[in-house]
Amino acid sequence: MFAFLHHIGTFLLLVASILLIITCISAPVVHDIALLRIDLGNIAGSHSNVAFGTFGYCINNLNGVDSCTKSQIGYSPAAVMNLVDNTQFSEYAESTTRALTKAMVLHPIACGLNFIAFLMAAGAGIIGSFAASLVALLAFLITVVIMIIDFVMFSVVRSNVNDNNTGAQAYYGNAAWTILVSAICSLLGTIIVFLTCCTGRRSKRRNAATKTEYVSPPRTEYRSRRKWFGRR
């Protein structure tokens, strides 16, 4: 039973890693995967929608042609929307969103830690499982931090775009939900691996105590009795 639960926790860590990979390959790598997507409609001339991702963004025109940036650490979503949609941002909002995009480098770090925890939990015993739970806990904390950063940063962009009264509509993309689900899987995997590790240690101690309790008595007493009867 405990082994089955341990396999479930290990599988959840693998799922968290896969979901974080999906978040990492969002725009500009894959245009259809985005943390924040903005439908511009007919208000922006030849532009159709904007997809913001982990390391850049893509602008799609009405002809279906994407114009994507190179993958980079840090960019300015506010400046992009000001250029494409004439959305107005305060100086504080522009500088804040630009600074928070630099923290997106935590996405691949969280992904790598979850995968390392998966490998440790899959091919290790009790001690390895305990170490895997610690690594998974660190991965979960980093995932939660970057998830909060993503939602806070893009909520600023989303509210400004939707309040701009230009007809554009901003909404969270699929990559935003994959990182949310990955955080849940990472948390559940960490808890299950840790609990099965502790339970496994207790069961081993209990089995060891049971074996020592039912060990046959030494034969010294029997031998001493034979010597005593021999003397008589």
Side-chain angles (χ1 to χ4, degrees):
M1 180 63 181
F2 296 121
F4 176 72
L5 291 176
H6 180 80
H7 292 324
I8 292 178
T10 304
F11 176 73
L12 288 173
L13 294 176
L14 176 61
V15 172
S17 303
I18 295 174
L19 291 174
L20 284 169
I21 290 176
I22 296 175
T23 305
C24 290
I25 63 172
S26 58
V29 180
V30 180
H31 175 265
D32 293 331
I33 303 175
L35 287 164
L36 183 73
R37 187 174 296 277
I38 301 171
D39 291 333
L40 301 174
N42 297 323
I43 50 97
S46 61
H47 298 133
S48 175
N49 62 71
V50 181
F52 291 108
T54 302
F55 297 114
Y57 59 90
C58 290
I59 301 176
N60 181 267
N61 60 25
L62 296 176
N63 296 324
V65 180
D66 293 336
S67 176
C68 300
T69 63
K70 294 182 178 179
S71 297
Q72 56 188 349
I73 299 176
Y75 60 94
S76 178
V80 174
M81 292 311 303
N82 189 13
L83 178 64
V84 173
D85 189 31
N86 199 26
T87 302
Q88 300 299 317
F89 291 85
S90 65
E91 183 178 350
Y92 174 77
E94 195 277 334
S95 60
T96 300
T97 54
R98 179 191 293 271
L100 289 178
T101 56
K102 296 180 180 179
M104 287 189 173
V105 71
L106 294 176
H107 284 113
I109 294 176
C111 177
L113 287 175
N114 273 292
F115 189 71
I116 291 173
F118 158 72
L119 294 178
M120 295 176 66
I126 294 176
I127 298 178
S129 298
F130 179 74
S133 63
L134 295 180
V135 176
L137 177 61
L138 178 60
F140 165 71
L141 294 176
I142 295 177
T143 304
V144 169
V145 169
I146 190 58
M147 180 188 68
I148 294 174
I149 291 174
D150 288 344
F151 277 96
V152 169
M153 174 182 61
F154 287 117
S155 66
V156 175
V157 180
R158 176 173 172 267
S159 61
N160 278 270
V161 170
N162 291 337
D163 295 340
N164 198 33
N165 296 323
T166 58
Q169 183 181 7
Y171 54 91
Y172 295 113
N174 42 17
W177 307 120
T178 56
I179 190 173
L180 175 62
V181 178
S182 70
I184 297 174
C185 292
S186 181
L187 174 61
L188 294 177
T190 302
I191 294 174
I192 293 174
V193 170
F194 178 75
L195 290 180
T196 53
C197 170
C198 296
T199 307
R201 293 182 64 181
R202 289 182 180 179
S203 62
K204 280 193 173 183
R205 291 178 181 177
R206 191 176 303 168
N207 294 335
T210 304
K211 288 182 180 179
T212 55
E213 183 178 350
Y214 288 98
V215 170
S216 59
R219 302 177 61 89
T220 54
E221 181 180 357
Y222 174 73
R223 291 178 180 176
S224 62
R225 286 183 178 180
R226 289 185 59 185
K227 290 182 180 179
W228 186 79
F229 281 114
R231 290 176 182 176
R232 291 185 63 185

